[in-house]
Amino acid sequence: MLLLGIDLGTSSIKVAVTDAATHRVLATAQFPDEEAGIVAKQPGWAEQSPELWWEYVQEAIRRAHAAGGYDPTDIAAIGIAYQMHGLVLVDKEQRVLRDSIIWCDSRAVPYGDRAFAAIGEERCLERLLNSPGNFTAAKLAWVKENEPAVYERVDRFLLPGDFIAMRLTGEATTTISALSEGIFWDFAADGLSEDVFRFFGFDRALVPAVRPLFSECGGVRAEVAAALGLKKGIPVTYKAGDQLNNALSLNVLEPGEVAATAGTSGVIYGVSDALTFDPGSRVNSFAHVNYSPEARRVGVLLCINGTGILNRWVRDLSKGDYEELNEAAARLAAGAAGLKVLPFGNGAERIFYNTIPGAQVRDIDLNVHGAAHLYRAGQEGIAFAFRYGLDIMRGNGMNPGVIRAGKANMFKSPVFAAAFVNATNVPVELYNSDGSIGAAIGAGIGAGIYRDGKEAFAGLKPVQLIEPTQAGVYDALYGEWRKYLP
């Protein structure tokens, strides 16, 4: 019995097919080959085409099939992980009405700020666990005010994973977790937020059918199955935001457990059993994959927008490749000969109260610094941004003794991994896992193939443990770097 996991990222779609019985990964594939672009029609805006996402998903699935390592008709369930906080709007015929306003788009900040003030800061934090900020609800409010002709045609608003599931099954559904990440959910009432819907003037009819996160939300349509070589009716049994899914893939499910990832954006994600919030909404709290009113599991999420995107920018600027630049950067001492990079050039940063500080390169010595210095300083700057955010989490009671991460994206760089561990002074366990594998595991739980998480993660072991060896050195470097923060 096989499981298909789909990971809808910002830069690409990844899929994995796993054997439910042996936990073996039979095939993985990615599309497109080059990192997908982000459309920025104005400064601070960021959009992508949902229809392109759907094309990429289909192509990635076909590539996985082409590897020939399994029979596609043996796939028994499908799981989806997706980039969080995006807004997809469809009409009654399920046609997309405009490009998705994605997670790093900053245009809706004033709409969230007005809601925060009008509803009341204390009430928002106690019931929503967040400021409405720049999340999906505020983005929908922006469309309502600025594109009324589009808004009038909206039948349902969807998160990105809801959209892919709808294309597979023909059914528009969502989850409590997705609604919480969009800031539509009232944790005190355990229902849709009357405050948010009333303030923005949203109709509840725009909300898709709400299903449990681990449950069937439809079966694959006959025409989709035929096009992708799948059996008709295969159930989609799991949908979760990428950071919640990353935590699931690392078996981070219980209070005190902490995961991290460093893709286009960077995240530290810890689990709490309390309805916890940051007074400044600099880190955010959402319903975790195993949240229920009876057993509250809240994911506390630190997000840094400018992570892998900065790493890619430096690579493109220097016209090198990642392996060569990592090797060159590794030959340099910690601190990159005094060069400092602030990696905040990808939209409003929550850790700075949804302001846009911009990326910066400081203390350049034209006689000393080259591409390798810039690359190392960029990776160290990202690690220092993680340290800054983790200190906010520590101030709110999240004190990890170890952080789990997949050996993927920037954690494949020894320079970055060492900088992260030494800057935060927290050991990191690395696992051979990624978002698509996590989505496949989630599908197995949702389909009842696994009784619970314990069975699903049987045999999961770290492939590498990285412990701090230069914490004092990096603490001093962090102090110098932090002087340039806004």
Side-chain angles (χ1 to χ4, degrees):
M1 191 175 296
L2 308 184
L3 303 169
L4 170 63
I6 301 168
D7 182 13
L8 166 56
T10 309
S11 58
S12 68
I13 306 294
K14 298 177 183 177
V15 301
V17 176
T18 67
D19 186 310
T22 65
H23 301 274
R24 192 160 61 92
V25 178
L26 303 180
T28 61
Q30 178 175 322
F31 193 85
D33 296 319
E34 295 296 322
E35 295 170 346
I38 295 173
V39 177
K41 297 176 182 176
Q42 294 189 32
W45 290 22
E47 299 182 0
Q48 288 184 323
S49 165
E51 295 296 1
L52 271 181
W53 294 340
W54 176 231
E55 289 181 23
Y56 295 165
V57 165
Q58 294 177 83
E59 186 57 37
I61 292 172
R62 292 188 186 103
R63 283 190 173 188
H65 292 348
Y70 59 91
D71 181 349
T73 63
D74 289 338
I75 293 172
I78 298 173
I80 301 169
Y82 59 88
Q83 50 171 290
M84 297 172 70
H85 315 304
L87 174 67
V88 181
L89 301 174
V90 297
D91 65 13
K92 291 183 184 298
E93 284 71 45
Q94 299 186 346
R95 293 175 301 204
V96 174
L97 294 172
R98 71 175 324 281
D99 280 353
S100 173
I101 303 175
I102 65 171
W103 57 276
C104 55
D105 187 289
S106 305
R107 78 186 76 179
V109 170
Y111 294 80
D113 288 347
R114 288 198 290 270
F116 197 38
I119 296 170
E121 295 185 8
E122 184 176 344
R123 185 174 177 85
C124 280
L125 294 173
E126 289 179 350
R127 301 183 77 93
L128 307 174
L129 307 187
N130 302 283
S131 159
N134 193 36
F135 297 110
T136 314
K139 292 166 182 168
L140 182 59
W142 183 93
V143 173
K144 183 172 181 282
E145 181 172 308
N146 293 274
E147 299 177 351
V150 171
Y151 186 82
E152 287 174 5
R153 297 171 58 199
V154 176
D155 182 62
R156 295 288 187 271
F157 68 77
L158 304 167
L159 277 290
D162 299 332
F163 170 75
I164 296 302
M166 185 188 73
R167 280 288 178 262
L168 285 164
T169 68
E171 297 188 38
T173 65
T174 193
T175 65
I176 289 174
S177 180
L179 291 168
S180 79
E181 76 175 73
I183 317 300
F184 295 102
W185 192 256
D186 185 327
F187 283 88
D190 272 314
L192 293 173
S193 171
E194 294 283 354
D195 294 328
V196 169
F197 279 79
R198 185 185 305 113
F199 177 78
F200 287 131
F202 297 152
D203 188 337
R204 283 171 169 256
L206 302 182
V207 181
V210 181
R211 303 281 171 78
L213 190 145
F214 293 107
S215 72
E216 183 173 340
C217 60
V220 174
R221 294 178 294 152
E223 59 269 35
V224 173
L228 296 177
L230 302 171
K231 286 191 301 186
K232 174 188 173 183
I234 296 172
V236 176
T237 57
Y238 169 82
K239 290 184 296 183
D242 52 8
Q243 302 310 325
L244 288 68
N245 177 72
N246 180 64
L248 171 80
S249 73
L250 297 165
N251 197 21
V252 170
L253 295 169
E254 297 304 324
E257 296 175 339
V258 178
T261 185
T264 302
S265 64
V267 166
I268 296 177
Y269 184 96
V271 180
S272 173
D273 57 2
L275 297 182
T276 183
F277 57 84
D278 176 60
S281 211
R282 296 167 297 171
V283 298
N284 303 106
S285 300
F286 308 113
H288 193 30
V289 293
N290 54 343
Y291 174 89
S292 71
E294 298 74 32
R296 286 172 166 161
R297 295 293 182 266
V298 174
V300 181
L301 186 152
L302 155 73
C303 181
I304 301 159
N305 290 358
T307 304
I309 192 169
L310 169 75
N311 205 47
R312 183 186 70 186
W313 180 82
V314 176
R315 181 205 65 178
D316 292 347
L317 194 69
S318 60
K319 301 188 186 304
D321 64 43
Y322 288 127
E323 185 174 348
E324 291 173 352
L325 286 166
N326 278 323
E327 290 174 357
R331 291 193 288 268
L332 300 174
L339 191 65
K340 302 173 186 67
V341 173
L342 275 65
F344 309 117
N346 189 31
E349 293 285 358
R350 297 176 212 162
I351 56 174
F352 299 119
Y353 304 96
N354 273 324
T355 59
I356 306 176
Q360 301 177 43
V361 182
R362 307 298 296 258
D363 297 338
I364 302 170
D365 187 328
L366 300 176
N367 296 307
V368 173
H369 298 134
H373 295 89
L374 182 61
Y375 197 67
R376 181 169 189 119
Q379 295 200 1
E380 290 179 340
I382 294 164
F384 293 146
F386 271 111
R387 158 69 184 275
Y388 181 85
L390 182 57
D391 284 349
I392 295 172
M393 298 180 78
R394 285 167 168 151
N396 286 294
M398 187 70 66
N399 293 288
V402 65
I403 293 173
R404 301 175 193 168
K407 193 167 185 178
N409 299 318
M410 291 194 64
F411 277 105
K412 291 192 293 188
S413 163
V415 170
F416 172 75
F420 179 95
V421 165
N422 285 292
T424 61
N425 199 23
V426 180
V428 167
E429 293 176 346
L430 294 179
Y431 293 79
N432 279 333
S433 183
D434 66 15
S436 58
I437 297 171
I441 293 169
I445 298 173
I449 295 168
Y450 301 126
R451 288 190 302 271
D452 51 30
K454 183 177 181 180
E455 182 178 355
F457 293 101
L460 180 68
K461 295 179 181 178
V463 295
Q464 187 177 359
L465 172 66
I466 306 173
E467 298 188 87
T469 58
Q470 293 182 290
V473 171
Y474 273 86
D475 191 60
L477 292 171
Y478 172 71
E480 293 299 312
W481 177 90
R482 191 175 176 188
K483 293 176 183 177
Y484 292 112
L485 293 185

